[in-house]
């Protein structure tokens, strides 16, 4: 296979880095553990399936917490009438002033498109919802959903296409999530009080169990043992001197030109709700929205 110039440059770049706190695997049990409702887990080779019925949903959590890096998993969402259900995939720290990055896949009636809601919490404050449709049917096959996080930005990606960027604007007095290690979680649950058409369409339990399928679990990030003090976490996972992390490379401090074009296309064709444009909720536009508009 011929290796392009760009690829060879990337290989050279990675070869010169010292990767510390690195974790990467495609095996569920190496990285994750069931969080609740073990009897609603189904293991089929490399596949994991979570079931939701009128008794319970199910969820899992990473065994470790991380600060900066990239988290990915491949998910195939609930087929058919999934109204009222939510399949959530997110990173979160602990405590009342937690940080959190959310993917929430909102089910719908048969034939209607799934909506993907993203949200960013910083120091316990969220209310930064965006919703969009996808350019494919997420129930027919597996697709990759990723979160890239470094000191400059948080990027939500679908099949490596950026759908949202949350930029560090601390220079404008806006807090940025950079000092709390976060676990990785996923769950399926009933949210028919709000998930589908604002709660108008309820879950039809005659279609249960609702099944979300997973594979390809990958975490390439700075692992933070519990023994590391909170004020030392940032130092441990930041590039200093001889220590170089790939996520601190200048090329990852912002989107590439190609990625910027992709994001503009996604927003133009698939964005259906943006908190920044919701003047009823926010008569005064949140400060970060000025920068995040494309």
């Amino acid at each position: 296979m011929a290796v392009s110039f760009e690829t060879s440059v990337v290989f050279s770049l990675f070869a010169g880095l010292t990767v510390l706190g690195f974790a990467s695997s495609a095996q569920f049990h190496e990285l994750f553990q069931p969080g609740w409702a073990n009897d609603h887990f189904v293991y089929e080779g490399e596949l994991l399936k979570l079931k939701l019925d009128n008794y319970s949903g199910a969820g899992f959590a990473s065994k470790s917490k991380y600060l900066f890096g990239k988290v990915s998993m491949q998910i195939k969402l609930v087929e058919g009438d999934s109204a009222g259900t939510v399949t959530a995939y997110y990173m979160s720290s602990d405590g009342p002033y937690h940080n959190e990055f959310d993917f929430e896949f909102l089910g719908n009636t048969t034939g209607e498109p799934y909506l993907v809601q993203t949200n960013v919490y910083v120091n316990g404050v969220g209310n930064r919802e965006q919703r969009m449709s996808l350019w494919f049917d997420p129930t027919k096959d597996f697709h990759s959903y990723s979160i890239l996080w470094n000191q400059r930005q948080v990027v939500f990606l679908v099949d490596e296409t950026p759908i949202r960027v949350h930029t560090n604007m601390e220079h404008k007095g806006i807090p940025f999530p950079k000092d709390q290690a976060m676990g990785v979680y996923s769950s399926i649950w009933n949210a028919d009080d709000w998930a589908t058409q604002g709660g108008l369409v309820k879950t039809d339990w005659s279609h249960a169990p609702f099944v979300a399928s997973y594979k390809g679990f990958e975490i390439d990030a700075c692992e933070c043992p519990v023994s590391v003090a909170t004020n030392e976490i940032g130092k441990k996972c930041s590039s200093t001197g001889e220590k170089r992390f790939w996520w601190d490379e200048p090329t990852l401090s912002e989107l590439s030109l190609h990625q910027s074009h992709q994001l503009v296309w996604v927003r133009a064709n698939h964005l259906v709700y943006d908190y920044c444009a919701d003047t009823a909720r926010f008569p005064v536009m949140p400060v970060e929205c000025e920068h995040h508009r494309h």
Side-chain angles (χ1 to χ4, degrees), residues 204-270:
D204 183 347
W205 293 109
S206 69
H207 294 144
F210 302 99
V211 178
S213 303
Y214 299 79
K215 67 177 183 178
F217 303 93
E218 296 182 8
I219 298 178
D220 187 351
C222 185
E223 189 171 347
C224 296
V226 177
S227 58
V228 177
T230 302
N231 61 347
E232 295 294 319
I233 289 175
K235 297 176 185 176
K236 178 184 184 300
C237 297
S238 300
S239 298
T240 54
E242 296 289 312
K243 185 173 67 173
R244 294 289 292 169
F245 291 113
W246 66 263
W247 51 82
D248 285 331
E249 288 302 311
T251 52
L252 293 174
S253 64
E254 59 185 9
L255 297 185
S256 68
L257 184 60
H258 175 62
Q259 288 176 319
S260 296
H261 290 160
Q262 289 180 313
L263 181 60
V264 169
W265 177 84
V266 168
R267 291 180 63 86
N269 292 280
H270 294 279

Side-chain angles (χ1 to χ4, degrees), residues 13 73 95 115 142 156 171 177 199 212 222 245 261 280:
L13 178 65
M73 60 180 72
L115 292 181
F142 287 90
F156 295 78
H171 64 285
C222 185
F245 291 113
H261 290 160

Side-chain angles (χ1 to χ4, degrees), residues 147-187:
I147 299 168
L148 170 67
W149 175 30
N150 58 31
Q151 296 185 73
R152 301 293 298 276
Q153 59 180 357
V154 181
V155 186
F156 295 78
L157 302 119
V158 176
D159 290 337
E160 295 304 312
T161 296
I163 65 166
R164 179 175 186 168
V165 177
H166 185 82
T167 305
N168 185 336
M169 287 184 285
E170 288 179 303
H171 64 285
K172 294 189 176 181
I174 300 170
F176 183 78
K178 65 173 190 179
D179 56 5
Q180 297 183 39
M182 303 170 81
V184 185
Y185 305 88
S186 189
S187 58

Side-chain angles (χ1 to χ4, degrees), residues 52-82:
L52 166 67
D53 55 30
N54 53 357
Y55 296 102
S56 179
F60 60 83
S62 60
K63 295 180 179 180
S64 298
K65 288 185 167 60
Y66 305 90
L67 184 72
F68 307 135
K70 186 177 182 182
V71 176
S72 300
M73 60 180 72
Q74 296 176 41
I75 308 173
K76 183 166 71 170
L77 297 172
V78 177
E79 292 188 61
D81 185 350
S82 56

Side-chain angles (χ1 to χ4, degrees), residues 8-25:
S8 64
V9 169
V10 172
F11 285 160
S12 300
L13 178 65
F14 276 77
L17 301 182
T18 302
V19 181
L20 303 175
F22 170 87
S24 183
S25 174

